[in-house]
Amino acid sequence: MSNQSAATQSSPPPAEAPAPMVRVQNLVKHFPKRGGILNQVIAKVHAVNDVSFQIRKGQTMGVVGESGCGKSTLGKCVIRLHEPTSGKVFIEGTDIGSISSHALRKIRSRMQMIFQDPNSSLNPRMTVEATLREVIKLHQVVPAGEVDAKINTLMTKVGLRLDDRKKYPHEFSGGQKQRVGIARALAVNPEFIIADEPVSALDVSIQAQVLNLLMDLKEELGLTILFVSHDLKVIDHFCDSMLVMYLGNIMEEMPCEDIHAHAKHPYTRALLASNPVMDPDHRAELTVLEGEVPSPYDPPAGCPFVTRCPIKTARCEQENPPLLDHGNGHRVACWEVKLQ
């Protein structure tokens, strides 16, 4: 036997890619609209339409799009705060839609959510201490004798003073309330967090502080994050990859390495062109999308973006383009964007 043949036989098989932390498969969510004398379903809001993606462990994936495009609904379906109409969500291989409520409670400690508005997500009648204690005891995170120490650790980790424990939500600023929300999410030692526009309700100066806190916590705790936002600059700064949504559909998925150079879909390019320019001496021509956003009760038969697309063709009005792989984690749903 030749040396080359021996080396070929003794070489180990190639390592398999690690399984994703989160895998979403053909997720659909329709909200029924009822009316009439018998209160029957007369229409459906197509909030999320056949969405599939995956997130590797330790990765941050952003979801961006205009208001009403289905970003928050997608996040709530992934964590099962909304029951999907169809499709599946896997957390490290476990289909969380097929398990019992008892089994789901055990998985709840591994996935948590940071909500957009801390004013509505925090109980105004509970102090910070009571809020955190309730979560810790419900999920039996630590023995009863260690709950106070756990609360102190959480307060310190999110940048709150220990003497804030006895305060109620109305005694905090907006940024401090969001820190309480982050502490509550971290109380059960989660591995996966959905951040639903966690900085959109905050002042710009406070947004940077909360984003930096989340970035530090991600690195320290090895978190996997689905980050929902309408701000592409925040997505670009904070995320490893992003999904661009429009009318409940994914228009484009791409790494955030250089979104300005690699964006292919006309909707993504329009979003980028609408961002404020930091340097007033380098102003680009403003892209204005004409046409109306279709009703989510009656989406177009073809591409969801067809009513506003500057490069549409007759085919776009008839056929919904598939989300095709362009390599390097880049997928685009557009008939006019050719494969590389």
Side-chain angles (χ1 to χ4, degrees):
M1 181 181 296
S2 65
N3 292 336
Q4 183 177 359
S5 300
T8 302
Q9 290 186 1
S10 61
S11 60
E16 295 184 1
M21 173 75 184
V22 180
R23 182 163 64 91
V24 176
Q25 180 179 316
N26 305 115
L27 193 68
V28 174
K29 179 60 180 178
H30 295 162
F31 292 100
K33 179 183 179 181
R34 298 182 179 274
I37 298 175
L38 300 178
N39 196 32
Q40 295 179 320
V41 176
I42 58 175
K44 294 179 180 179
V45 177
H46 295 71
V48 178
N49 299 310
D50 198 25
V51 168
S52 299
F53 63 91
Q54 59 186 31
I55 313 175
R56 297 190 307 273
K57 190 174 182 64
Q59 183 186 32
T60 298
M61 174 170 279
V63 184
V64 68
E66 296 171 283
S67 297
C69 71
K71 306 185 301 294
S72 296
T73 301
L74 173 63
K76 290 175 181 177
C77 286
V78 169
I79 206 170
R80 251 187 92 177
L81 290 181
H82 287 327
E83 290 293 337
T85 303
S86 63
K88 296 182 178 181
V89 178
F90 297 89
I91 304 295
E92 288 196 327
T94 300
D95 180 3
I96 65 171
S98 63
I99 60 178
S100 65
S101 56
H102 177 73
L104 180 62
R105 173 172 288 190
K106 295 181 178 180
I107 295 181
R108 285 286 186 204
S109 62
R110 300 174 60 191
M111 53 182 189
Q112 288 292 300
M113 191 161 191
I114 301 170
F115 295 93
Q116 177 178 358
D117 183 11
N119 290 311
S120 59
S121 63
L122 296 175
N123 189 331
R125 299 184 178 183
M126 295 178 67
T127 63
V128 175
E129 178 180 351
T131 297
L132 297 179
R133 187 181 299 276
E134 180 183 55
V135 177
I136 294 169
K137 293 181 69 175
L138 176 65
H139 290 276
Q140 300 177 342
V141 179
V142 295
E146 300 176 16
V147 172
D148 284 332
K150 177 69 173 178
I151 293 173
N152 289 341
T153 299
L154 289 168
M155 299 278 289
T156 303
K157 195 178 292 291
V158 300
L160 293 173
R161 300 195 308 267
L162 296 185
D163 56 6
D164 290 334
R165 287 176 51 143
K166 301 295 184 181
K167 290 183 179 180
Y168 290 88
H170 73 271
E171 300 180 80
F172 291 104
S173 67
Q176 289 174 322
K177 290 177 188 176
Q178 197 58 285
R179 290 173 187 268
V180 175
I182 294 171
R184 180 179 59 185
L186 296 178
V188 293
N189 303 323
E191 301 170 46
F192 173 50
I193 285 182
I194 296 177
D196 183 12
E197 302 210 39
V199 298
S200 63
L202 307 178
D203 293 337
V204 175
S205 59
I206 306 302
Q207 286 184 10
Q209 296 178 19
V210 174
L211 282 174
N212 289 334
L213 171 63
L214 287 172
M215 292 179 73
D216 292 342
L217 291 172
K218 175 198 169 185
E219 295 300 323
E220 178 185 348
L221 303 176
L223 298 173
T224 304
I225 301 176
L226 182 66
F227 189 90
V228 176
S229 178
H230 64 273
D231 191 335
L232 263 174
K233 288 188 178 295
V234 172
I235 293 287
D236 188 22
H237 173 71
F238 186 72
C239 300
D240 302 303
S241 60
M242 70 173 185
L243 302 173
V244 180
M245 289 191 69
Y246 183 83
L247 206 66
N249 298 265
I250 296 179
M251 298 286 98
E252 188 164 11
E253 177 185 358
M254 61 186 296
C256 291
E257 296 170 356
D258 189 354
I259 58 178
H260 290 272
H262 297 151
K264 297 179 181 295
H265 198 282
Y267 179 58
T268 309
R269 294 201 299 266
L271 289 178
L272 288 167
S274 67
N275 272 333
V277 179
M278 300 299 292
D279 188 350
D281 295 327
H282 293 82
R283 295 189 179 186
E285 183 178 350
L286 181 64
T287 300
V288 179
L289 291 175
E290 299 179 354
E292 297 294 330
V293 179
S295 169
Y297 291 108
D298 186 22
C303 175
F305 190 55
V306 69
T307 59
R308 303 170 75 192
C309 184
I311 61 173
K312 66 183 178 183
T313 64
R315 185 182 189 184
C316 302
E317 297 179 354
Q318 303 298 326
E319 301 178 49
N320 192 359
L323 196 62
L324 297 180
D325 188 357
H326 287 246
N328 193 32
H330 195 163
R331 299 188 296 162
V332 185
C334 181
W335 291 121
E336 295 304 297
V337 175
K338 308 303 181 184
L339 290 173
Q340 301 298 314

